[in-house]
Amino acid sequence: MDFAPTSVSGVWLLQQQRHADDRGWFARTWDEAELRERGLEARVVQCSASFNHRRGTLRGLHYQAPPFAEAKVVRCTRGRLFDVAVDLRPDSSTFRAWVGVELTPENGRSLYIPRGCAHGFLTLSDDTEVAYQITPEYSPDHARGVRWDDPLLAIAWPEPVATIAPRDRDYPDVQLSALEELRGI
């Protein structure tokens, strides 16, 4: 795998190195040693998937509070999506910065998102499926989120949002006082 840092501290763009032959191709999507070499969390505890029927579906911006703060790798296995990571770590040099990348099965990219960053995505095609590799177990009591259209973040979503869950729509704006639980991550 190739690793490229992004403009947000600790968020990495991972690129598959595909080995092709007459059958198709093979690529590694997770390599514990390569992740650890770069100081990234590499212990996967949970793998999840989401399927989204319609283009314009937004999920997020989600994160988990300590002690269940999570790192994750996100990959698109069908369709297209615009994947976003937002730095919510008050001590970070890129606090409140965001990065967004298009993920598709064809481009072979994944996004590594460290603890203390919120994650969300917007589907860019119908029938989009997303795969997640996550470091801790999910804890509903520690689930948090911030508003996808918070003017302070000013995320440049590439298309209009057509479908969003009430929970995601109603998350609060980023407020430093609410993020104190992420200090020091």
Side-chain angles (χ1 to χ4, degrees):
M1 296 185 325
D2 291 324
F3 290 74
T6 69
S7 59
V8 174
S9 177
V11 177
W12 290 78
L13 185 62
L14 312 181
Q15 180 69 53
Q16 295 173 357
Q17 292 178 342
R18 293 181 175 175
H19 305 280
D21 62 23
D22 58 342
R23 299 168 294 172
W25 56 264
F26 172 86
R28 186 172 298 126
T29 61
W30 185 266
D31 187 309
E32 184 175 344
E34 286 191 43
L35 288 159
R36 285 200 176 141
E37 225 174 78
R38 289 162 179 81
L40 307 178
E41 291 187 62
R43 182 175 172 259
V44 173
V45 173
Q46 179 180 313
C47 294
S48 300
S50 72
F51 177 79
N52 307 275
H53 292 288
R54 292 180 198 84
R55 177 183 195 143
T57 298
L58 189 133
R59 290 187 187 245
L61 299 162
H62 306 139
Y63 69 97
Q64 284 202 151
F68 292 93
E70 60 190 8
K72 61 176 87 168
V73 171
V74 181
R75 180 167 63 97
C76 182
T77 55
R78 184 163 111 183
R80 293 174 47 229
L81 63 95
F82 183 70
D83 203 47
V84 172
V86 179
D87 191 345
L88 298 180
R89 301 164 294 182
D91 297 334
S92 171
S93 63
T94 56
F95 177 54
R96 294 188 193 134
W98 64 273
V99 62
V101 296
E102 185 172 326
L103 304 180
T104 69
E106 294 77 23
N107 70 21
R109 294 186 211 168
S110 301
L111 197 62
Y112 176 91
I113 303 162
R115 293 176 188 253
C117 287
H119 170 253
F121 64 82
L122 178 69
T123 60
L124 303 176
S125 68
D126 291 342
D127 301 326
T128 295
E129 185 177 68
V130 185
Y132 310 80
Q133 292 167 292
I134 307 166
T135 57
E137 63 271 12
Y138 176 70
S139 172
D141 292 340
H142 294 83
R144 307 282 191 276
V146 294
R147 201 173 93 192
W148 68 277
D149 62 348
D150 181 339
L152 182 65
L153 299 176
I155 296 171
W157 298 100
E159 296 184 7
V161 173
T163 304
I164 185 170
R167 178 185 81 153
D168 292 352
R169 182 194 63 228
D170 297 338
Y171 277 133
D173 288 345
V174 173
Q175 297 171 6
L176 183 57
S177 60
L179 301 179
E180 282 301 312
E181 65 191 358
L182 296 175
R183 191 169 293 283
I185 286 186

